[in-house]
């Protein structure tokens, strides 16, 4: 197992925490000097907040740990390709490297729909590595939504 897979496994563990709470299973970790300095998962439903994405909660925690809004010399690992909001937060926090698992064909801004993370007109761009443990990350989401649809189908009218 390489380093990216190792840290992605930790992000998957975070995604499983979200799933246990009924949240969409997306997890993230931020690594600095080979140490996890922050971890998080989706809390949109629990907090009823559009900002409750795994990346945002993890970035907020990492900023507190390093006592700065600049997260230089870090890597963000996330189980799903960042959306436009999260890509913006990644750029604004100066994270230089982003590693994600599953692509997001509906909202992905790390290369699927658009690549905000490497947009040349911005003053900061990230190295983007995709597809790390993508099958495992994708199955988390596929199974979650499959079970959610089955539960909704079996609800009394």
């Amino acid at each position: 197992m390489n380093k990216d897979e190792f840290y992605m496994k930790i992000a998957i563990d975070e995604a499983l925490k979200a799933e246990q709470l009924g949240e969409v299973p997306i997890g993230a970790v931020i690594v600095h000097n080979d140490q996890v300095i922050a971890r998080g998962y989706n809390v949109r439903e629990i907090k009823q907040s559009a900002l409750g994405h795994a990346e945002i909660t993890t970035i907020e925690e990492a900023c507190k740990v390093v006592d700065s809004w600049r997260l230089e010399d870090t890597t963000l690992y996330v189980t799903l390709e960042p959306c436009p909001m999260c890509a913006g937060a990644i750029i604004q926090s100066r994270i230089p490297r982003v590693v994600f698992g599953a692509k997001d064909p509906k909202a992905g801004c790390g290369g699927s729909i658009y690549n905000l993370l490497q947009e040349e007109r911005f003053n900061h761009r990230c190295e983007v590595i995709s597809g790390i443990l993508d099958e495992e990350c994708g199955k988390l989401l596929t199974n979650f939504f499959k079970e959610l649809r089955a539960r909704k189908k079996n609800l009394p009218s």
Side-chain angles (χ1 to χ4, degrees), residues 150-157:
R151 280 196 306 269
K152 285 183 178 182
K153 185 178 177 182
N154 292 327
L155 287 175
S157 304

Side-chain angles (χ1 to χ4, degrees), residues 115 118-123 125:
N115 195 347
Q118 295 181 318
E119 172 55 55
E120 291 182 12
R121 292 172 288 184
F122 290 142
N123 66 335
R125 287 168 294 289

Side-chain angles (χ1 to χ4, degrees), residues 24 26-30 40-44 49-60 63 69 71 74-100 102 104 107-111 114-118 122 124-128:
V24 176
I26 300 169
V29 296
I30 294 179
Y41 50 84
N42 268 11
V43 291
R44 238 174 24 167
S49 171
L51 302 177
H53 288 206
E55 298 95 323
I56 301 294
T57 60
T58 307
I59 288 169
E60 287 179 326
C63 288
W69 61 268
L71 297 176
T74 64
T75 298
L76 169 72
Y77 293 87
V78 61
T79 57
L80 182 66
E81 181 180 1
C83 72
M85 174 181 69
C86 293
I90 291 163
I91 292 164
Q92 291 299 315
S93 61
R94 306 297 193 262
I95 294 172
R97 186 168 185 265
V98 175
V99 179
F100 69 85
D104 185 350
C109 282
Y114 194 76
N115 195 347
L116 285 174
L117 296 174
Q118 295 181 318
F122 290 142
H124 176 75
R125 287 168 294 289
C126 309
E127 174 187 3
V128 177

